[in-house]
């Protein structure tokens, strides 16, 4: 480890791949497109999970668990959903292996253990869940159902990248059932808000909320709301989606409820999810050429203490002081690691914790013991200063807030500087090529134009922002009338 | 819900199945052998997870995540492990479905999307993990590796029962790598101790620790340690296992480390796991004919408050008092639910919370408002008493400890009364048939005798207990000499 990373300006994509592996976040596995999430990466994911889970429960959701497999006949029940995912799903066809008669050290699929009906490994769980809800819902008294599931899902993507696009990924998927269209729409928006709030205030990533165009919607949804973030290379990343499913799944699975008035009505549905893809967003929003930069709220270790010493006696004295400092910081609610390993030199450790994005690094040497100081280095600004030991706790507490804010504001400035209002297609292409980022432009509202722009520029409509005002104008490609700007970008 | 359960004495198995469904813990799904874990059941599982996770971290383990799929060539690398699981594994052979040319509403497996190498859905993760560890381990500096994974696994069981034996289940699996045999053995024992401590002190289920005989060992292990519990019907249940894997997986995957002396050595391994099967143990240890009985440490709601009222005005007055009581209890660290639904009558609610095993139920009616009392019902003893409102918090705090202890002691007494020392095979059969439980008997140490006893009685050797003293005797079947008693039982 601690090899020098390729710089972002040299090759952003290579920088990303190297960083993920060298910072011990994840690596590729022996299974095509599937990753191993290493302990350090998983510790960050656990922090995200805990915070999201809390917010789901605060908004009245409960966790549950549904089967990994979806029988083919259920999978195909909601036509558009099936069509959307059929092209990339892993299929279980057999339930046994047997010894290869030609080579006793090998196993082969046992042809006698063929399943009567194939099982799809869930790419998303609407089908299996709505088939279950059918048994749970009879009357309005059974509604709403507001359930979340933490699970693994599989989508057989051909081109994969660690965290951003993997054949298997971890996610949460909320699935709710409601009496009315309004209630389901409220839920759809509420969960998009929960995502936006979490991603901005916890991950320090500014997002734009909006809805997807028809061609970018989730397969089977009537509306898809989303949060869109901007990465440092000017490409957008969809960080979370919340779908209004209308009555599509209720109709496909025949889920009706008796209303207060005694009428049988189809149930209204939503689903919403975020995944380990958020790890990719985190990395690409804040990190630099030295490695990962973590917002304090997500850092498994917010502070690391490195002793600078010669010989065991010095280490002993420094360790004594370091333990006191660590204890004081922990009592202030800050997570601290004291790295007294004698197998690695301080310089190596400095580089390692920079690579791993630890927000604050403290170094204590013999001079510091004499002077009552500590050297403090900030990961976000790469600045250093000496702090009096008795002022350290307050300083670090303040820094946790300051660093979190600084990262958000830096990302926000970058994002805002990279929203370009564009009126004609030549400028569109020029801005996209030279500057990147979001392009705010008029669009004639047709799927054809959207597709044509994608073919010509690789830019897609990321969303129709919620907070845009109506404004008359002309489509950036066709010149046809339009009454609202949408956001285009190249995207992950 | 709130149908009357079949009594345990009428049909224990039916009672169990009904309880699991009616208490809203889990239900069967559309996928053969796979269950849906409902929110109430999942909330209990989450409490178990949180506690186990804490104990794993306290003993120096970190969480990570490895792929769901195991390529067949890796799966078959450790011969015994492969042999043990090949008979019951789900196999992915294709990665795409396509529209059925004969019926556009149907999907079929796309024969052009056949995988070059089949993927086994993990029944356990040693193979994929040791293939990964190979890349992580070069020298003694990289050891130990102490990783845990929370995951779903699939074993294609032919006869399934909710929680006890399902095709897919949730579990945690620890996988550790060590320099020496001694260190790995220490880890194996330590994690068995962690399980025993958790199950006894948190789930209130007494367990016997011991090791498995060769024929009952995990496929690929050199030793399997276990914790064995006894259910109310006299059958044993394996509640957790911890395996010493020797160098088997290190040899199969060629994982070596350079020792301090510079020699290349194979790494020593352990693995250990508990699963949603623990939910089955929990139910069958404590519950009664009225439903689930939960130890307070696992109850999603430790206290439920039911208002007894006529008309809205009364409800308002009672609710005011109930909110104060709930608040006081919560401040004392007790979880409380106030059920003021007007869709259900108090009697219905009483039956429902008995069915769901809520440890303490409080009822408040207009008389209680006058007298400053509350009616308190204990789920474990089914006793009721009136308590002064101002003594309630102390009373409930004490009860949380008392109920937890009472459940453990009741289960311990039952278990101890159901360990029978037996010297001859006629008595063995008689005790097994008439009384059930564990039979402590001498065994000649051969797999043949073990198998023969199983054929004749369906009893298996649950474990060779750690705390048994050496004692000379004669095998209960063959009369051959033996120097230790082992524990036989019929088992889940």
């Amino acid at each position: 480890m601690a090899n020098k990373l390729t710089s972002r300006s040299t090759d952003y994509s290579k920088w990303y791949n190297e960083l993920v592996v060298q910072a011990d976040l994840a690596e590729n596995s022996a299974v095509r497109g599937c990753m191993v999430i290493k302990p350090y990466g998983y510790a960050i994911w656990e922090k995200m999970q805990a915070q999201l889970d809390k917010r789901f429960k605060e908004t009245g959701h409960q966790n549950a668990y549904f089967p990994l497999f979806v029988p083919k006949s259920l999978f195909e029940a909601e036509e558009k959903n099936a069509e959307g995912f059929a092209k990339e799903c892993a299929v279980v066809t057999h339930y046994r292996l047997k010894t290869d008669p030609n080579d006793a050290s090998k196993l082969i699929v046992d042809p006698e253990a063929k399943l009567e009906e194939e099982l799809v490994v869930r790419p998303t769980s609407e089908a299996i869940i709505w088939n279950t809800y059918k048994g749970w819902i009879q009357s309005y008294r059974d509604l709403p159902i507001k359930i979340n599931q933490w699970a693994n899902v599989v989508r057989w993507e051909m081109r994969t990248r660690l965290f951003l696009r993997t054949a298997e990924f971890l996610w949460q998927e909320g699935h709710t059932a409601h009496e009315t269209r309004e209630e389901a729409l409220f839920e759809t928006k509420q969960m998009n808000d929960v995502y936006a709030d979490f991603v901005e205030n916890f991950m320090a990533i500014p997002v734009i909320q909006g809805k997807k165009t028809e061609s970018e919607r989730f397969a089977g949804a009537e509306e898809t709301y989303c949060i869109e973030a901007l990465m440092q290379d000017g490409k957008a990343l969809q960080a979370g989606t919340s779908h209004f499913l209308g009555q599509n799944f209720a109709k496909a699975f025949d889920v009706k409820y008796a209303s207060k008035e005694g009428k049988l009505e189809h149930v209204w549905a939503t689903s919403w999810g975020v995944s380990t893809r958020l790890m990719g967003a985190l990395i690409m929003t804040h990190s630099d050429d030295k490695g990962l930069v973590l917002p304090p709220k997500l850092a498994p270790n917010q502070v690391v203490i490195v002793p600078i010493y010669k010989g065991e006696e010095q280490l002993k004295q420094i360790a004594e002081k370091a333990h006191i400092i660590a204890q004081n910081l922990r009592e202030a609610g800050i997570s601290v690691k004291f790295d007294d390993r004698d197998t690695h030199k301080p310089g190596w450790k400095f580089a390692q914790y920079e690579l791993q994005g630890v927000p604050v690094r403290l170094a204590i040497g013999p001079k510091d013991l004499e002077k009552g100081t500590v050297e403090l280095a900030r990961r976000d600004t790469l600045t250093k200063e000496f702090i009096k030991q008795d002022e350290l706790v307050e300083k670090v507490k303040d820094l946790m807030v300051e660093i979190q804010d600084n990262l958000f504001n830096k990302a926000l400035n970058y994002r805002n500087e990279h929203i370009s209002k564009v009126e004609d297609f030549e400028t569109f292409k020029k801005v996209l090529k030279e500057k990147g980022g979001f392009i705010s432009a008029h669009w004639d509202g047709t799927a054809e134009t959207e597709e044509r722009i994608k073919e010509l520029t690789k830019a897609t409509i990321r969303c129709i922002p919620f907070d845009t005002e109506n404004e008359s104008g002309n489509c950036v490609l066709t010149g046809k009338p339009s009454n609202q700007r949408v956001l285009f970008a190249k995207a992950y």
Side-chain angles (χ1 to χ4, degrees), chain A residues 85-364:
Chain A
F85 289 102
K87 293 182 290 295
E88 53 181 30
C89 62
V91 189
V92 174
T93 55
H94 292 75
Y95 58 85
R96 194 163 61 221
L97 296 173
K98 64 170 195 175
T99 305
D100 185 343
N102 301 316
D103 179 349
S105 76
K106 303 283 178 195
L107 293 167
I108 57 167
V109 171
D110 185 345
E112 287 175 24
K114 193 169 186 305
L115 289 170
E116 278 180 42
E117 179 178 12
E118 294 89 348
L119 300 173
V120 174
V121 181
R122 63 180 165 219
T124 181
S125 300
E126 279 77 8
I128 191 81
I129 287 180
W130 277 88
N131 184 62
T132 306
Y133 282 180
K134 182 178 166 58
W136 294 1
I137 299 171
Q138 278 86 41
S139 93
Y140 71 92
R141 285 189 196 85
D142 303 316
L143 296 173
I145 293 177
K146 294 169 74 177
I147 284 183
N148 175 62
Q149 163 170 282
W150 290 98
N152 53 344
V153 285
V154 172
R155 296 175 186 178
W156 209 261
E157 304 274 1
M158 278 304 157
R159 294 180 56 207
T160 62
R161 290 190 69 190
L162 292 167
F163 290 125
L164 295 170
R165 200 171 287 277
T166 47
E168 182 193 13
F169 57 88
L170 302 184
W171 80 344
Q172 62 67 218
E173 47 182 325
H175 295 273
T176 69
H178 305 270
E179 284 182 64
T180 64
R181 179 186 182 87
E182 292 65 39
E183 205 183 297
L185 277 166
F186 176 87
E187 169 82 5
T188 312
K189 181 65 169 65
Q190 174 183 252
M191 299 322 289
N192 210 55
D193 287 343
V194 163
Y195 289 153
D197 179 63
F198 164 73
V199 171
E200 295 205 327
N201 293 315
F202 210 77
M203 300 182 67
I205 302 176
V207 294
I208 293 170
Q209 284 202 55
K211 61 178 185 180
K212 291 287 183 188
T213 61
E214 191 177 346
S215 54
E216 296 277 337
R217 257 179 227 152
F218 176 75
E222 291 199 2
E223 286 288 4
T224 288
Y225 297 167
C226 63
I227 53 172
E228 294 285 328
L230 192 64
M231 304 298 100
Q232 293 171 355
D233 62 346
K235 284 169 79 175
L237 186 143
Q238 175 182 297
T241 47
S242 183
H243 315 295
F244 171 64
L245 304 173
Q247 296 176 312
N248 293 342
F249 285 89
K251 284 177 181 163
F253 292 94
D254 192 27
V255 187
K256 290 178 182 166
Y257 75 97
S259 72
K260 286 191 187 88
E261 296 76 31
K263 279 171 66 184
L264 273 183
E265 310 268 9
H266 280 112
V267 174
W268 297 84
T270 84
S271 69
W272 29 274
V274 297
S275 74
T276 37
R277 196 160 206 247
L278 284 178
M279 291 287 295
L282 181 74
I283 296 161
M284 290 199 293
T285 301
H286 304 303
S287 304
D288 63 22
D289 290 350
K290 290 186 179 287
L292 190 63
V293 177
L294 285 176
K297 288 185 186 175
L298 280 182
N301 301 305
Q302 295 173 313
V303 173
V304 63
I305 306 176
V306 177
I308 318 286
Y309 63 97
K310 282 191 185 131
E312 283 203 14
E313 184 53 34
Q314 249 184 29
L315 174 59
K316 207 181 131 195
Q317 289 171 9
I318 293 169
E320 216 167 278
K321 178 58 72 181
H323 283 301
I324 295 170
I325 290 172
Q327 187 54 32
N328 291 341
L329 287 168
R330 284 187 192 119
E331 279 165 15
I334 291 156
S335 57
V336 186
K337 177 177 173 178
F338 173 47
D339 185 353
D340 62 350
R341 286 179 297 172
D342 61 2
T343 43
H344 298 87
K345 295 223 185 311
W348 187 96
K349 293 178 185 174
F350 286 10
Q352 174 69 2
Y353 295 116
E354 274 176 5
L355 184 57
Q356 296 199 309
V358 179
V360 167
R361 183 187 75 221
L362 304 176
I364 312 179

Side-chain angles (χ1 to χ4, degrees), chain A residues 322-466:
Chain A
H323 283 301
I324 295 170
I325 290 172
Q327 187 54 32
N328 291 341
L329 287 168
R330 284 187 192 119
E331 279 165 15
I334 291 156
S335 57
V336 186
K337 177 177 173 178
F338 173 47
D339 185 353
D340 62 350
R341 286 179 297 172
D342 61 2
T343 43
H344 298 87
K345 295 223 185 311
W348 187 96
K349 293 178 185 174
F350 286 10
Q352 174 69 2
Y353 295 116
E354 274 176 5
L355 184 57
Q356 296 199 309
V358 179
V360 167
R361 183 187 75 221
L362 304 176
I364 312 179
K367 283 260 166 64
D368 295 302
L369 288 189
E370 279 171 32
K371 292 185 190 168
T373 56
V374 175
E375 190 194 49
L376 182 153
R378 267 176 77 155
R379 178 63 184 90
D380 61 335
T381 53
L382 292 169
T383 51
K384 291 184 197 179
E385 58 181 317
F386 284 92
I387 305 289
K388 288 196 178 145
Q389 287 168 12
D390 54 12
E391 292 167 7
L392 188 65
V393 171
E394 279 312 305
K395 175 73 183 178
V396 172
K397 274 171 69 177
D398 291 347
L399 271 181
M400 293 297 107
V401 178
E402 202 178 319
I403 294 172
Q404 185 83 25
D405 289 350
N406 178 45
L407 290 176
F408 179 78
N409 289 328
K410 214 167 128 186
L412 183 64
N413 287 340
Y414 176 86
R415 200 275 311 273
N416 287 345
E417 281 164 13
H418 286 80
I419 303 180
S420 309
K421 276 198 180 183
V422 162
E423 314 301 334
D424 66 278
F425 201 59
E426 283 315 304
T427 315
F428 186 104
K429 286 188 284 188
K430 189 164 180 289
V431 170
L432 197 67
K433 191 177 172 192
E434 290 174 9
K435 187 179 175 187
F438 290 113
I439 296 181
S440 174
H442 281 283
W443 162 60
D444 64 18
T446 69
E448 293 70 33
T449 301
E450 189 181 4
E451 182 59 28
R452 184 78 185 127
I453 293 177
K454 187 176 171 184
E455 281 167 20
L456 292 169
T457 67
K458 291 185 181 158
T460 51
I461 300 177
R462 302 316 305 151
C463 70
I464 306 165
F466 288 143

Side-chain angles (χ1 to χ4, degrees), chain A residues 12-22 26 161-162 164:
Chain A
Y12 193 79
S13 172
K14 201 172 170 201
W15 164 82
Y16 175 83
N17 294 338
E18 289 176 1
L19 191 159
V20 171
V21 172
Q22 288 188 32
R161 290 190 69 190
L162 292 167
L164 295 170

